[in-house]
Amino acid sequence: MRGLWRPLLAMCLNLLLPCSQSWIPGYSNGFHYQDINNGNGNGEIHFNGVRLLVESPQTSVMATRGSSVTLPCHYHYEPEPSTPRRTRVKWSWLPTHGAAEPASPEDVAQETEVMVTMGNRHRSYGGFRGRVRLRRAAPGDMSLVINELRLNDTGRYRCEVIDGLEDESVTVELELRGVVFPYSSHTGRYRFNFLEAQQACRAQDAALATFEQLFTAWEEGLDWCNAGWLADGTVQYPITAPREGCGGVDLAPGVRSYGQRHRLRHRYDAFCFSASIRGAVYFLKDPTRLNFTEAVRACASDGSQVATVGQLFTAWRLMGLDSCDAGWLADGSVRYPITKARPNCGPPEPGVRSFGFPPRFLKFGVYCYR
Ligand SMILES: *[C@@H]1O[C@H](CO)[C@@H](O)[C@H](O)[C@H]1NC(C)=O
Ligand SMILES: *[C@@H]1O[C@H](CO)[C@@H](O)[C@H](O)[C@H]1NC(C)=O
């Protein structure tokens, strides 16, 4: 389990209450709680003296965008039945919800079917069609292989084995290696409704971050005092150093939440998650004094494109890009990435420094992506 569950479990223990369904928005059946209570997520049921066991050696799998991943799931019977049993296997997906408060009913996450198999017949659904298969490396191996991983494939996958009226399941969490970054409009702070925030992240080669991604970023030190949309429609912000104006000094460090906001009427910034691993971001050495139009042209002449904000953050975070030169990015912002903080290169900690959105006639360098 990721750190996400720690506060949740702590809360349940503190209140000496069973961790009832109402604590976890979005999960509609009891299996999930079994996972939390016995820790290993392995289920078993009994019928006619035969036990069906569904197991996964991993409760969480980390992968990279664009790659393939295998989510392990196996089942067997104890004792082995003398005649083969007819089983169906269903894989479904739940976007990860971590907010401790229940989502409003219409926002409760729906389980989405990924793949259903019966014997040798199988069927995959929605955005998973053509990208998923079962590994079937051995009898009972129902591990799910997902190809060409997308940013929004992260979440909780449930492997459910159905034998007649009985069914048993395990869940496996899929996480992508990547980076969370706050993003605001070139017109100023708090200008995005939910849909615009989604589009803004997409334009930066990113997706709205999940709560779990923001929580991990907070654990790794992200401190940002402007509230932003997350993928589940909540608005939150991560604070590591409590201070006035950011929830106050009496509140412990943490991810502050405004809860669910109106997706069309309310306006905030966005927390985006990016993980572009293909290609490289580089600071164009020559020329280095360009207005925005010239910058776009300079990358094109170099056989590349102006980098997006998501690409710059990914290169900084995953590839250690470090450059003390301010450069244009595709959205018209000017930034530079620092992995080893040093004098004259911004604050004493690593980060992507931002000059905001300067007038486009001003001259800077440029970051290109190829
Ligand atoms: C996930 O992203 C793809 C594009 O990469 C998009 O087509 C799809 O609709 C998205 N799915 C969800 C559930 O947002
Ligand atoms: C950038 O400079 C070019 C001349 O090199 C000029 O034609 C163009 O209008 C300038 N663009 C901006 C946004 O000022």
Side-chain angles (χ1 to χ4, degrees):
M1 292 279 160
R2 300 279 321 174
L4 161 63
W5 296 109
R6 285 202 296 268
L8 182 64
L9 289 173
M11 190 163 62
C12 303
L13 291 174
N14 285 345
L15 299 174
L16 294 175
L17 286 172
C19 228
S20 75
Q21 189 145 346
S22 62
W23 292 102
I24 305 164
Y27 299 105
S28 55
N29 66 48
F31 296 116
H32 192 72
Y33 308 106
Q34 224 169 14
D35 292 350
I36 288 179
N37 293 337
N38 68 18
N40 63 10
N42 293 342
E44 58 178 66
I45 54 170
H46 300 251
F47 51 95
N48 301 331
V50 178
R51 288 195 302 165
L52 167 62
L53 290 113
V54 181
E55 296 162 324
S56 176
Q58 277 169 286
T59 54
S60 146
V61 173
M62 179 70 97
T64 50
R65 181 182 182 185
S67 68
S68 296
V69 72
T70 303
L71 306 181
C73 174
H74 307 263
Y75 77 89
H76 68 278
Y77 294 95
E78 280 179 6
E80 284 300 327
S82 47
T83 53
R85 301 191 63 92
R86 279 171 75 79
T87 50
R88 271 193 314 131
V89 173
K90 181 171 118 181
W91 275 95
S92 42
W93 172 77
L94 284 156
T96 314
H97 274 251
E101 64 195 82
S104 64
E106 67 268 25
D107 286 318
V108 164
Q110 296 295 316
E111 255 193 40
T112 307
E113 286 187 339
V114 173
M115 185 171 209
V116 174
T117 69
M118 174 134 182
N120 288 323
R121 286 179 302 148
H122 56 85
R123 186 167 176 171
S124 54
Y125 298 90
F128 293 103
R129 204 171 291 155
R131 289 197 298 138
V132 287
R133 64 182 175 84
L134 293 186
R135 183 169 62 178
R136 292 191 191 276
D141 180 11
M142 294 296 149
S143 304
L144 182 72
V145 180
I146 313 177
N147 297 315
E148 294 159 51
L149 278 175
R150 298 173 182 170
L151 286 175
N152 59 11
D153 286 339
T154 61
R156 194 166 284 265
Y157 287 77
R158 193 154 75 93
C159 170
E160 185 178 12
V161 180
I162 302 141
D163 178 314
L165 295 176
E166 313 282 357
D167 69 307
E168 209 28 84
S169 68
V170 286
T171 58
V172 182
E173 177 104 21
L174 173 63
E175 293 176 75
L176 289 189
R177 236 167 249 118
V179 58
V180 171
F181 60 94
Y183 192 76
S184 58
S185 164
H186 65 95
T187 59
R189 179 177 182 251
Y190 290 176
R191 299 296 165 88
F192 298 136
N193 66 25
F194 179 73
L195 298 177
E196 290 161 349
Q198 271 184 324
Q199 283 158 10
C201 289
R202 214 172 291 143
Q204 299 315 314
D205 196 27
L208 277 178
T210 63
F211 171 79
E212 189 162 77
Q213 287 161 349
L214 183 66
F215 190 88
T216 303
W218 169 76
E219 285 184 311
E220 291 166 1
L222 182 66
D223 183 287
W224 196 256
C225 199
N226 293 335
W229 290 102
L230 296 184
D232 61 2
T234 60
V235 170
Q236 316 203 25
Y237 62 100
I239 293 297
T240 53
R243 54 196 182 274
E244 288 308 331
C246 310
V249 287
D250 298 333
L251 217 51
V255 176
R256 319 267 196 245
S257 178
Y258 293 166
Q260 296 276 334
R261 309 305 293 179
H262 194 282
R263 292 187 179 206
L264 296 176
R265 282 205 307 270
H266 292 147
R267 289 179 182 275
Y268 294 95
D269 292 342
F271 285 102
C272 305
F273 174 79
S274 188
S276 38
I277 36 122
R278 282 175 290 217
V281 174
Y282 59 98
F283 183 76
L284 192 65
K285 286 278 183 288
D286 185 48
T288 53
R289 294 199 36 81
L290 305 158
N291 68 27
F292 182 69
T293 349
E294 294 164 335
V296 172
R297 222 172 283 142
C299 286
S301 318
D302 208 39
S304 56
Q305 297 166 6
V306 185
T308 64
V309 177
Q311 287 160 351
L312 184 70
F313 268 93
T314 307
W316 164 72
R317 188 62 210 246
L318 303 187
M319 265 103 80
L321 184 67
D322 183 289
S323 167
C324 202
D325 299 299
W328 289 106
L329 296 175
D331 64 344
S333 64
V334 169
R335 303 175 197 242
Y336 64 96
I338 295 295
T339 47
K340 287 177 224 76
R342 52 197 179 273
N344 305 321
C345 300
E349 61 277 343
V352 172
R353 325 296 193 203
S354 176
F355 287 78
F357 297 86
R360 297 192 169 195
F361 58 81
L362 290 184
K363 303 232 171 191
F364 295 97
V366 64
Y367 285 94
C368 307
Y369 172 78
R370 179 159 52 203

